[in-house]
Amino acid sequence: MIPVMRPLMGEEEALAAAEAVRSGWVAQGPRVRAFEEAFALRVGAAHGVAVSSCTTALHLALHLLDVGPGDEVVVPSLSFIATANAVRYCGATPVFADVSAETGNLTAETVAAVVTDRTRAVVLVHQGGVPADVKSFEGLGLPIVEDAACAAGSTYHGSPVGLGASLAAWSFHPRKLLTTGEGGMLTVDDPEVAVRARRLREHGMSVSAADRHAGGGVVLEEYLETAFNYRMTDIQAAVGLVQLGRLDAIIARRRELAARYHSLLARIPGLRAVSDPAYGTTNYQSFWVELSEDCPVDRNEVLNRLAAKGVSARRGIMASHLEPAYAGHPHVALPVTERLTSRTLILPLFHELTAEEQDQVVDALELACDAR
Ligand SMILES: *Cc1c(COP(=O)(O)O)cnc(C)c1O
């Protein structure tokens, strides 16, 4: 079976994790700090605050904006469900907006259509690694949280996604390009916000446990506010540091494979594949294709047929408003979201995918769509 994704990990990651274990420092410590600095530098952010997942990073970001009961936060329904759930964690209401058919991302128009006087923020997702047109949202005058779970190494107007973001949340789940097993990062531009974010991930402590131990003498910490345990471990950060060193090679390889998919897939009539928007480049975290309007075969049947041929594809990006967890949740019409979620599928793309396997995927897809 050709998997849809396989993380690129080697002996270096195993050794780095072992070194962290041998050092005796396994909770958040010096490796977490080093990973934060290296990651922030790579994505052009002023400060990195490592956390346990992108989901907890999103929760912290909204908490930092003081989002609470009675507030509304605009999110795309077309996203992993954690994007919307983070709003509910704050007791606020996620308000679903539709997306661009081309990129799968929110647009200033779709957001403006759902803004009310209770709107407190927008969570802008760089879906599947395709950068959102961040600057186009400035006119809305609303705080923006970037859900960059998938976007490590994607670019926007020639700079890394994340450069200049006031709050951006990143994921290191194995389904993403870089992995620490589980893990996430919040990047922040304001130094005072970064101080508070560090405190919020660690029970609201005035002095981090790592600084207390490193300091030697007796330091009594205070708990300044009700907060969370969203820490990353030094074992995870050790792996993350090695993974970060692979990022450029991972993206180069994914883009090479994506270009090859583009030329192979051209023979399937009407099939549309994700590609770079005019203003940036995607890291091809998810290589999705949209079936043509007149493809006689239903998307789920295409997935079944691919599986029967040894190709593990996945449905396209989910639509949160269609899940039971959001049953009865009011929303505007979301026609593009519903079309993309029902007509798209994600093809296998990972560092060690071979040309032969890629040919096999495209042959299987051509057959599955009855396009031959
Ligand atoms: C994967 C993903 C998340 C959740 O990331 P975790 O690190 O697993 O919490 C959030 N948003 C988007 C867009 C994602 O793709």
Side-chain angles (χ1 to χ4, degrees), residues 1-6 175 254 261 285-289 299-316 344-350 353 357-365 368:
M1 202 79 180
I2 303 174
V4 71
M5 175 66 169
R6 186 189 294 147
R175 181 69 186 78
R254 294 185 81 84
Y261 262 144
Q285 151 75 60
S286 291
F287 190 88
W288 54 261
V289 295
R299 192 273 318 272
N300 292 351
E301 179 55 20
V302 171
L303 290 176
N304 287 333
R305 291 180 181 187
L306 288 174
K309 294 269 181 201
V311 175
S312 174
R314 289 281 183 280
R315 66 170 174 170
T344 58
L345 58 144
I346 295 172
L347 299 182
L349 185 61
F350 50 90
L353 184 72
E357 287 172 325
Q358 240 186 335
D359 293 342
Q360 191 186 327
V361 171
V362 176
D363 286 347
L365 184 61

Side-chain angles (χ1 to χ4, degrees), residues 63-296:
H63 189 82
L64 285 162
L65 291 173
D66 240 349
V67 168
D71 294 336
E72 295 177 351
V73 176
V74 178
V75 298
S77 167
L78 191 81
S79 185
F80 184 60
I81 199 160
T83 309
N85 285 348
V87 178
R88 282 189 165 171
Y89 297 164
C90 297
T93 305
V95 174
F96 295 126
D98 212 0
V99 292
S100 145
E102 191 203 334
T103 64
N105 289 326
L106 293 178
T107 71
E109 292 71 35
T110 62
V111 172
V114 298
V115 166
T116 72
D117 56 7
R118 298 202 302 173
T119 308
R120 287 294 313 277
V122 178
V123 182
L124 190 53
V125 181
H126 302 285
Q127 193 51 259
V130 178
D133 191 359
V134 183
K135 286 198 181 91
S136 69
F137 293 83
E138 279 168 5
L140 294 169
L142 287 164
I144 303 279
V145 172
E146 293 182 40
D147 181 341
C150 304
S154 295
T155 68
Y156 180 63
H157 291 299
S159 299
V161 163
L163 182 108
S166 59
L167 292 161
W170 309 80
S171 175
F172 307 122
H173 182 271
R175 181 69 186 78
K176 322 294 183 183
L177 294 202
L178 300 183
T179 187
T180 57
E182 291 277 0
M185 187 82 72
L186 179 67
T187 55
V188 174
D189 67 346
D190 181 325
E192 283 175 31
V193 174
V195 168
R196 178 141 184 255
R198 293 209 154 84
R199 195 161 79 211
L200 283 170
R201 75 167 164 197
E202 195 172 13
H203 305 292
M205 272 154 70
S206 57
V207 188
S208 79
D211 288 347
R212 208 155 23 95
H213 289 295
V218 177
V219 184
L220 296 181
E221 80 284 7
E222 284 185 298
Y223 296 84
L224 301 173
E225 57 185 318
T226 305
F228 311 96
N229 177 2
Y230 284 169
R231 284 175 297 213
M232 176 185 273
T233 69
D234 253 30
I235 306 172
Q236 291 168 297
V239 172
L241 278 163
V242 180
Q243 286 272 292
L244 191 60
R246 299 188 192 273
L247 181 62
D248 291 341
I250 289 174
I251 293 172
R253 176 67 180 151
R254 294 185 81 84
R255 290 186 58 83
E256 180 188 328
L257 290 167
R260 193 160 182 279
Y261 262 144
H262 280 138
S263 66
L264 293 172
L265 291 167
R267 70 173 192 256
I268 304 179
L271 192 82
R272 185 174 75 92
V274 61
S275 60
D276 289 333
Y279 51 76
T281 59
T282 170
N283 59 11
Y284 287 109
Q285 151 75 60
S286 291
F287 190 88
W288 54 261
V289 295
E290 182 180 358
L291 300 176
S292 79
E293 291 287 335
D294 43 46
C295 173

